[in-house]
Amino acid sequence: MKLRHATALAIVAWYLLIPPIGADNKVNVHAPLSTWRKGVKFDSEKKCGDSLKDAIQNPMTPDEYQAAAEATRKAKMHPLSKSEMTKRTAESQCVAADDPRIKGK
């Protein structure tokens, strides 16, 4: 195999996966990864991890939370509590795009 082909095969995208919300309006971290929401796509695991770390270390301000809650209500959905929103961010994961766990059956 030529080097350029090997390099092309080594490039893998990474997704920041966000856990789903259960019927009880709580974060469901035990759901299969195939049901998690694909957030932002990154071109490296490090960039994904850095973004997640930043989101955890710099949570939403009260104004940002209120804006998100209002947008959720406008979409005729129930907004998460601030603690569930924080948990959802903390439980998010960086997963390679080719990870078989994120493929639907």
Side-chain angles (χ1 to χ4, degrees), residues 16-104:
L16 180 57
L17 294 184
I18 303 163
I21 305 303
D24 59 356
N25 214 40
K26 302 281 186 193
V27 176
N28 183 359
V29 298
H30 302 293
L33 287 181
S34 61
T35 65
W36 289 36
R37 186 171 69 80
K38 287 181 183 172
V40 181
K41 184 178 177 181
F42 297 90
D43 61 8
S44 74
E45 181 179 18
K46 181 177 181 347
K47 288 180 182 177
C48 183
D50 288 348
S51 179
L52 178 56
K53 182 178 177 182
D54 182 62
I56 292 168
Q57 291 177 344
N58 300 292
M60 281 188 199
T61 65
D63 288 342
E64 290 170 332
Y65 173 74
Q66 288 302 323
E70 183 59 31
T72 302
R73 282 190 281 278
K74 282 184 180 179
K76 307 231 186 283
M77 296 167 39
H78 297 284
L80 293 177
S81 67
K82 187 138 174 54
S83 64
E84 282 299 305
M85 185 72 79
T86 300
K87 179 180 179 180
R88 194 175 196 203
T89 301
E91 296 292 345
S92 295
Q93 297 181 29
C94 292
V95 178
D98 63 353
D99 189 312
R101 298 174 298 162
I102 66 173
K103 307 285 188 232

Side-chain angles (χ1 to χ4, degrees), residues 7-22:
T7 302
L9 293 175
I11 298 172
V12 174
W14 289 80
Y15 286 108
L16 180 57
L17 294 184
I18 303 163
I21 305 303

